[in-house]
Amino acid sequence: MSMTNSGESAAYQAARAEERLATDDHIHELGVHVRVDGGRAVVTGSVTSAARKQAVLDAVRDELELEIVDQVEVIGYGGAEADEGAS
Amino acid sequence: MLTVAAVGDLHVGADSAGRLAPHLRGLSGQVDALLLAGDLTQCGTVEEAEVLVRELADVSVPVVAVLGNHDLHSRQGAKIRDVLAVGGITLLDRGATVVPVNGHVLGVAGVTGFGGGFAGACASDFGEPEMRAFVARTHAEAEALEDSLRGLATDVRIALLHYAPVADTLQGERPEIFPFLGSYVLGAAVDRAGADLVVHGHAHGGTERGLTPGGVRVHNVALPVLRRPYRVFHFEVDGAAV
């Protein structure tokens, strides 16, 4: 089992972050996944706007206080959109 | 010829205002109906439904929808139905509707559906009351879908769902979550009643095309899967999809 500096397993951290993304009243994203690997949070999936992507990344950063690896894609109503600067 | 457009998982929120409508402007001269396969809204609020209605205001063809899990989150499903009705959108909840088109008739049976899984990894009507209630909901949705399809004596019959009726269209998603994405029970209902096409959403990481064990075409039309505003289906009068 992979443990972090806080003593919480990486799996529990990832689950906690995904629970936050699903239940946060300002987010409710179930199609975004989090994996904690090497002290970094890898965030994958898709959302429909750059603003929602930013909200997702901010929430994971706030929840886990780890470096974020952003692999979230913005797929707008016309299809995939260029990254608008979310980080 | 009947022509239908479908998309699911629009996840409309306040930030969708003005962003969806431009991509739907071409529909009115191109298709006979638009199907929305659930998760119309992000949080299931009336305000989001109102944004959706405004975005669809210029779509002049009939719009038929089912709700998804996001639409049900805030327990405002009844109010959302009212908002959609005012906007001219037909919301199906264990029911069906018919759309006359140039002398032919399109029939759409719609349910949200539910989870439970597929062969080899299924929830069963056994054990704790909560588990049995979970399974019972799926069976109730499936029975309603079957009844609604059987009641459609139309040229073309489409099953409109949010959850997936087959595992084919979930390929790409993690297998661990398949039981939360759909159920074979829904596919079995389609095969018993017969249909020309099934469209569903919900599985953002899934695959577009599949088949029920009985050979009915299934399309996952979730927006992240399509990666375009909608998918268009053409039907010959005898019901063969092309």
Side-chain angles (χ1 to χ4, degrees), chain B:
Chain B
M1 179 80 77
L2 295 175
T3 305
V4 175
V7 63
D9 302 82
L10 295 172
H11 291 269
V12 165
D15 64 343
S16 303
R19 295 176 50 232
L20 173 59
H23 298 288
L24 302 178
R25 290 202 177 112
L27 274 174
S28 297
Q30 184 186 2
V31 305
D32 300 309
L34 170 64
L35 308 183
L36 301 178
D39 280 0
L40 315 173
T41 65
Q42 179 72 353
C43 303
T45 67
V46 169
E47 292 76 15
E48 291 174 333
E50 289 170 343
V51 173
L52 175 66
V53 166
R54 287 195 291 272
E55 292 299 298
L56 294 174
D58 291 336
V59 176
S60 61
V61 299
V63 180
V64 182
V66 294
L67 297 181
N69 54 311
H70 279 250
D71 305 313
L72 297 169
H73 175 72
S74 297
R75 302 188 179 189
Q76 296 182 17
K79 292 179 180 175
I80 289 174
R81 172 194 291 273
D82 292 343
V83 169
L84 298 182
V86 169
I89 299 168
T90 300
L91 182 63
L92 298 179
D93 181 11
R94 301 185 181 182
T97 189
V98 296
V99 181
V101 180
N102 300 327
H104 303 299
V105 184
L106 166 68
V108 183
V111 299
T112 296
F114 202 43
F118 301 88
C122 297
S124 298
D125 182 19
F126 179 83
E128 299 89 335
E130 292 83 357
M131 177 58 78
R132 300 190 70 179
F134 180 96
V135 173
R137 179 179 174 90
T138 306
H139 281 269
E141 293 283 291
E143 289 169 14
L145 178 62
E146 182 176 350
D147 289 346
S148 298
L149 282 170
R150 288 188 190 280
L152 288 172
T154 55
D155 297 303
V156 172
R157 295 188 300 165
I158 298 177
L160 175 62
L161 300 87
H162 182 59
Y163 285 77
V166 296
D168 292 6
T169 49
L170 302 183
Q171 300 308 314
E173 295 277 10
R174 293 171 296 167
E176 294 90 338
I177 67 170
F178 280 20
F180 302 105
L181 298 178
S183 169
Y184 81 94
V185 174
L186 300 166
V190 170
D191 278 338
R192 284 193 298 270
D196 298 293
L197 175 71
V198 183
V199 292
H200 73 85
H202 194 43
H204 295 194
T207 300
E208 187 172 345
R209 297 165 185 260
L211 284 175
T212 67
V216 177
R217 288 170 186 253
V218 180
H219 279 252
N220 178 356
V221 295
L223 180 68
V225 173
L226 294 182
R227 305 177 74 87
R228 56 192 188 277
Y230 47 82
R231 168 77 156 84
V232 175
F233 301 91
H234 301 283
F235 298 89
E236 302 296 340
V237 175
D238 65 1
V242 295

Side-chain angles (χ1 to χ4, degrees), chain A residues 4-62:
Chain A
T4 66
N5 290 339
S6 66
E8 183 181 26
S9 78
Y12 285 151
Q13 285 188 310
R16 180 157 55 87
E18 289 192 355
E19 184 74 11
R20 166 80 176 269
L21 296 179
T23 59
D24 188 310
D25 284 340
H26 301 291
I27 299 177
H28 290 316
E29 291 288 354
L30 283 72
V32 175
H33 305 294
V34 180
R35 185 179 79 253
V36 174
D37 187 7
R40 302 189 303 174
V42 182
V43 189
T44 60
S46 67
V47 297
T48 59
S49 72
R52 293 187 193 187
K53 173 175 173 170
Q54 189 66 61
V56 162
L57 298 178
D58 288 348
V60 175
R61 187 179 293 110
D62 176 67

